[in-house]
Amino acid sequence: MDKTQPSSTTAKGPSADVAQAVPPSASGGVTQATMVKKTAPKSDYKPADVSPQRRVQRSYTVRLWSIRHSRLLEWFYARFANLFLMLHPIWKGIGYGRVEAPVKFVEKRVKGFMFDCRMCGQCILSSTGMSCPMNCPKQLRNGPCGGVRANGNCEVEPDMPCVWVKAWEGSRNMKNGDAILAVQKPVDQSLRETSAWLRVTAQAAAAREAPTMEKSQ
């Protein structure tokens, strides 16, 4: 009586087939990426800074430059604010509502380039070392959260330097750097997408004119 051999229940057969399917060049610890690179057409072209991490880091270049030069920008902003205040009669004559759109257009692009501004309408760059707190994923306005990484980066966006760590560094270079210790009010969402330049100018003009109005009364 012939006895048939039972079929094997081990993975010996299939695994042997898979092993033969792997190219010989992949053995010995050679990765698939290495194989692809070897078979790629040869040319003089060499890609530069194409990794996702490098691209992310480059997106913070101007923002970090502004923080490093916070003292210079503090000096410039003070004179810029004085200039805008001198122009208050013009803004008032034309109407703050009418000049809002063109001023906001310029402000959004200048501050967006320099600080990654989110146009919250309540700019406190002069109090935060020229580091915009609205870049914080949690939009914290009074210091960092407890999740800052050991390398000083954000816990939510690991490749991004913590906004408040940089704010402290920037404030140490500024003449009025201790303003970072002032407690900020919650963000007024109704002021989003409005010009902080015009709002601050109108407030400064009102404060300047208040004593004169009191004396006239």
Side-chain angles (χ1 to χ4, degrees), residues 80-101:
F80 180 77
N82 290 335
L83 173 62
F84 246 59
L85 185 57
M86 289 174 59
L87 297 175
H88 166 67
I90 298 178
W91 309 136
K92 186 176 180 179
I94 299 174
Y96 272 90
R98 292 179 180 177
V99 298
E100 170 82 18

Side-chain angles (χ1 to χ4, degrees), residues 60-78 114-115 125-126 128-131 166-175:
Y60 305 127
T61 300
V62 178
R63 184 199 299 184
L64 296 178
W65 182 93
S66 300
I67 295 168
R68 289 195 302 271
H69 297 83
S70 56
R71 181 64 178 269
L72 172 63
L73 293 175
E74 178 187 33
W75 177 88
F76 176 80
Y77 251 70
M114 294 294 296
F115 314 105
L125 285 168
S126 59
T128 57
M130 297 298 163
S131 176
K166 291 301 176 183
W168 180 257
E169 293 177 2
S171 69
R172 297 306 88 194
N173 298 327
M174 296 171 67
K175 183 177 179 180

Side-chain angles (χ1 to χ4, degrees), residues 44-165:
D44 292 332
Y45 172 71
K46 300 295 182 184
D49 299 337
V50 295
S51 70
Q53 183 177 5
R54 290 288 297 178
R55 284 197 295 267
V56 169
Q57 289 176 348
R58 282 189 301 184
S59 67
Y60 305 127
T61 300
V62 178
R63 184 199 299 184
L64 296 178
W65 182 93
S66 300
I67 295 168
R68 289 195 302 271
H69 297 83
S70 56
R71 181 64 178 269
L72 172 63
L73 293 175
E74 178 187 33
W75 177 88
F76 176 80
Y77 251 70
R79 280 144 187 83
F80 180 77
N82 290 335
L83 173 62
F84 246 59
L85 185 57
M86 289 174 59
L87 297 175
H88 166 67
I90 298 178
W91 309 136
K92 186 176 180 179
I94 299 174
Y96 272 90
R98 292 179 180 177
V99 298
E100 170 82 18
V103 171
K104 184 181 71 173
F105 178 85
V106 175
E107 180 179 348
K108 187 173 185 177
R109 279 146 187 82
V110 171
K111 290 166 61 177
F113 174 74
M114 294 294 296
F115 314 105
D116 288 337
C117 174
R118 308 297 176 176
M119 290 301 290
C120 68
Q122 301 135 91
C123 188
I124 55 172
L125 285 168
S126 59
S127 300
T128 57
M130 297 298 163
S131 176
C132 178
M134 300 308 291
N135 287 316
C136 171
K138 301 178 182 180
Q139 296 190 356
L140 300 179
R141 300 276 286 191
N142 288 288
C145 67
V148 181
R149 297 173 184 267
N151 62 354
N153 284 7
C154 173
E155 70 168 346
V156 179
E157 299 184 25
D159 295 319
M160 182 182 77
C162 172
V163 170
W164 279 100
V165 169

Side-chain angles (χ1 to χ4, degrees), residues 22-31:
V22 177
S25 59
S27 59
V30 180
T31 64

Side-chain angles (χ1 to χ4, degrees), residues 206-217:
R208 184 179 62 181
E209 294 169 358
T212 305
M213 294 179 63
E214 291 179 357
K215 289 180 180 180
S216 63
Q217 295 175 354

